[in-house]
Amino acid sequence: MNVSYLYSLLAVIVLGLIAYAGAVVGLEALFGIVIPYLAVLVFFVGFVNKVLDWAKAPVPFRITTTCGQQKTLDWIKPSPIDNPTTTVGVIIRMLLEILLFRSLFRNTRVEFKGEKISYKWVLWLWLFAIMFHYSFFVVVIRHLRFFVEPVPFFISALETVDGMLQIGLPGLFISGATLLGGATLLLLRRILLPKINYISRAADYFPLFLIIGIALTGILMRYFIKVDVVKVKELTMGLASFHPGIPEDGVSALFYVHLFFVSLLVAYIPFSKLMHMGGIFLSPTRNLANNNRMKRHINPWNPKVKIHTYEEYEEDFREKMKEADIPVEKE
Amino acid sequence: MKDKGKIIVGLVIFVAVFTFPFWYNHGAATQAPEPELTEKAKKADKCVEETAYMRKEHMQILDEWRDTVVRDGKRLYVNASGKEYMASLSNTCIDCHSNKEKFCDKCHDYASVDPYCWDCHTYPEEKE
């Protein structure tokens, strides 16, 4: 079995221990101020740079993945979203892709049923992915409560909805549990399914372990090994308002592990597969209308070719063609 | 790609949205909340448990109290140093910390928590 996940697991554990040790020996300012600021800087510069790099790549031809009937003769029913020919169609297609992961929804698995080959519709990956991504989104929005003062309405409203189960005190946030659950299921999928395992590399596991590490440390701090949340907000508000400082006691080393993991994740995004966050908007297989047969797309780097059209050809040889009884278009 | 214009617009939106905390606070330093103690609390000098412990675990204590009272009918709580308290939100906590708005809520507003306890439990109106 492919065990590259062990390297990623080991890397995450070592990184966590480094932050823990750092906080214990008094390097709070490094892990609580310097590294988070650097991470945010790397994130923005790296992200913008990557997108600009992609923007430079020429796309001379429409390479849309077509998932339905192309627009053609009037009596053949076209599929305007799965094979869009208009900008509106493309926008709807992109929204469905980004918000509902439509292409994952169509996932099929090929299997041999005795002699016959079968294609089975398999929804698990879509389900785990939706669960994971939306939980992550809610968790990120909720965390804004640590970075803004006063806390705007939409954040408190989200907290109320997320905590509606009212289990325990502090109340359970559903998104925290589903984030950890989703990430764990996605990890198990990579480890346990032989075909997926075969194509998985350390770079596939690392972000999963990192996110699981973030979720675990966060859940520990909220429900089990408490930190002083007011002190934590003092620190994070210092970062967000550019008046950084480290509050005296109350913020445990576990918090610095959490913050270090988050800093790593944020800084890692532009250089990894996590860049699909920006990339999904720029996938030429999705964001282009399939109008290859309606519009002429000229390759911008084509060399100038000297052409000789049929009209010009006929012009040159009309008399000779008539003599040889070859039909001509113009008399 | 000839969509450079659109991509730049997208990037500008991305940066504007993702820097939300930075421009929302516009660099203003904020003050951490300082919960005020009532005369009664000052006289008592000590909370139910150690102050540092209270800051982190007071919700856990309330949760425990709620369960022991409502499920087991035990209304007595003995703290780490052997002192006895009646396990009650309104009659114990809010007896000392009767200034809910200037005590509990100061922290809670800052940390954006809004305990739903007050839907049923009472607290005295603030009187100056």
Side-chain angles (χ1 to χ4, degrees), chain B:
Chain B
M1 222 186 262
K2 46 184 195 306
D3 293 329
K4 270 206 189 105
K6 285 184 212 158
I7 294 174
I8 304 281
V9 172
L11 272 179
V12 170
I13 295 173
F14 156 76
V15 173
V17 170
F18 277 65
T19 49
F20 169 70
F22 294 124
W23 52 258
Y24 182 85
N25 298 312
H26 33 80
T30 50
Q31 202 61 47
E34 280 161 19
E36 285 173 26
L37 291 177
T38 56
E39 288 307 317
K40 188 158 186 184
K42 276 183 194 147
K43 228 169 28 228
D45 189 45
K46 275 207 164 64
C47 195
V48 175
E49 298 283 356
E50 288 298 320
T51 312
Y53 181 84
M54 284 310 286
R55 283 180 70 100
K56 295 183 202 168
E57 306 271 358
H58 63 276
M59 28 330 210
Q60 225 93 336
I61 292 180
L62 285 169
D63 200 26
E64 216 181 290
W65 285 11
R66 183 168 61 173
D67 286 356
T68 51
V69 168
V70 178
R71 295 186 187 162
D72 311 333
K74 292 201 189 108
R75 288 182 188 269
L76 211 63
Y77 173 78
V78 186
N79 77 359
S81 51
K83 201 160 181 277
E84 286 180 355
Y85 289 92
M86 189 178 45
S88 172
L89 174 56
S90 296
N91 299 330
T92 307
C93 306
I94 300 303
D95 183 36
C96 277
H97 302 298
S98 55
N99 53 344
K100 175 177 165 292
E101 273 93 357
K102 293 209 176 83
F103 187 78
C104 314
D105 292 354
K106 272 228 170 127
C107 284
H108 292 169
D109 289 346
Y110 185 68
S112 175
V113 277
D114 183 15
Y116 56 86
C117 321
W118 316 112
D119 292 355
C120 303
H121 292 267
T122 56
Y123 56 92
E125 292 296 317
E126 206 75 1
K127 41 190 183 296
E128 290 295 314

Side-chain angles (χ1 to χ4, degrees), chain A residues 196-270:
Chain A
I196 310 291
N197 181 271
Y198 185 70
I199 57 166
S200 297
R201 315 189 61 199
D204 295 315
Y205 293 113
F206 182 68
L208 282 170
F209 279 118
L210 200 57
I211 289 165
I212 289 174
I214 291 170
L216 274 180
T217 48
I219 287 172
L220 278 179
M221 280 191 292
R222 181 172 164 86
Y223 306 101
F224 303 104
I225 313 171
K226 298 302 194 63
V227 289
D228 187 331
V229 173
V230 172
K231 288 271 165 63
V232 167
K233 184 159 179 179
E234 269 174 56
L235 192 158
T236 51
M237 276 311 292
L239 292 176
S241 62
F242 299 108
H243 293 86
I246 298 291
E248 294 146 37
D249 58 54
V251 184
S252 63
L254 191 60
F255 168 75
Y256 291 98
V257 176
H258 186 69
L259 188 61
F260 186 52
F261 279 165
V262 174
S263 305
L264 285 173
L265 186 73
V266 164
Y268 181 64
I269 287 173

Side-chain angles (χ1 to χ4, degrees), chain A residues 31-59:
Chain A
F31 287 96
I33 299 173
V34 179
I35 292 177
Y37 270 136
L38 276 179
V40 169
L41 195 70
V42 169
F43 171 72
F44 280 110
V45 173
F47 197 103
V48 170
N49 196 37
K50 190 95 195 175
V51 170
L52 289 180
D53 194 35
W54 282 335
K56 279 191 212 120
V59 180

Side-chain angles (χ1 to χ4, degrees), chain A residues 103-121:
Chain A
S103 55
L104 278 190
F105 194 69
R106 315 166 84 106
N107 181 33
T108 53
R109 186 188 297 152
V110 190
E111 266 170 6
F112 277 107
K113 286 257 158 81
E115 290 278 275
K116 282 189 186 150
I117 197 163
S118 85
Y119 295 86
K120 208 165 85 186
W121 185 35

Side-chain angles (χ1 to χ4, degrees), chain A residues 9-238:
Chain A
L9 176 61
L10 195 68
V12 171
I13 291 174
V14 170
L15 288 167
L17 288 176
I18 289 175
Y20 196 91
V24 170
V25 301
L27 290 176
E28 283 100 339
L30 176 65
F31 287 96
I33 299 173
V34 179
I35 292 177
Y37 270 136
L38 276 179
V40 169
L41 195 70
V42 169
F43 171 72
F44 280 110
V45 173
F47 197 103
V48 170
N49 196 37
K50 190 95 195 175
V51 170
L52 289 180
D53 194 35
W54 282 335
K56 279 191 212 120
V59 180
F61 194 63
R62 301 284 160 119
I63 52 169
T64 325
T65 342
T66 57
C67 310
Q69 173 61 52
Q70 185 175 186
K71 186 170 160 56
T72 166
L73 301 170
D74 282 345
W75 47 274
I76 296 177
K77 201 170 155 228
S79 177
I81 294 166
D82 288 319
N83 197 335
T85 48
T86 59
T87 308
V88 176
V90 169
I91 289 172
I92 295 174
R93 185 185 206 199
M94 289 296 285
L95 284 179
L96 290 175
E97 185 65 33
I98 291 165
L99 300 177
L100 299 175
F101 305 175
R102 191 138 194 258
S103 55
L104 278 190
F105 194 69
R106 315 166 84 106
N107 181 33
T108 53
R109 186 188 297 152
V110 190
E111 266 170 6
F112 277 107
K113 286 257 158 81
E115 290 278 275
K116 282 189 186 150
I117 197 163
S118 85
Y119 295 86
K120 208 165 85 186
W121 185 35
V122 181
L123 268 187
W124 294 111
L125 175 59
W126 175 82
L127 192 72
F128 300 163
I130 278 275
M131 186 170 136
F132 169 77
H133 283 86
Y134 273 98
S135 311
F136 205 123
F137 180 64
V138 172
V139 169
V140 169
I141 302 279
R142 268 207 287 100
H143 273 73
L144 284 178
R145 76 170 160 138
F146 290 109
F147 296 94
V148 294
E149 180 63 34
V151 178
F153 168 76
F154 73 96
I155 297 174
S156 347
L158 188 65
E159 280 175 336
T160 309
V161 175
D162 204 3
M164 68 181 172
L165 293 185
Q166 301 189 339
I167 297 175
L169 285 180
L172 176 79
F173 280 142
I174 301 168
S175 58
T178 47
L179 172 64
L180 184 61
T184 308
L185 288 168
L186 290 172
L187 176 70
L188 289 178
R189 168 181 169 269
R190 278 195 186 276
I191 295 178
L192 297 180
L193 299 187
K195 283 181 224 156
I196 310 291
N197 181 271
Y198 185 70
I199 57 166
S200 297
R201 315 189 61 199
D204 295 315
Y205 293 113
F206 182 68
L208 282 170
F209 279 118
L210 200 57
I211 289 165
I212 289 174
I214 291 170
L216 274 180
T217 48
I219 287 172
L220 278 179
M221 280 191 292
R222 181 172 164 86
Y223 306 101
F224 303 104
I225 313 171
K226 298 302 194 63
V227 289
D228 187 331
V229 173
V230 172
K231 288 271 165 63
V232 167
K233 184 159 179 179
E234 269 174 56
L235 192 158
T236 51
M237 276 311 292

Side-chain angles (χ1 to χ4, degrees), chain A residues 276-290:
Chain A
H276 69 270
M277 177 177 155
I280 189 156
F281 292 92
L282 298 189
S283 349
T285 54
R286 302 272 152 200
N287 69 8
L288 295 172
N290 179 23

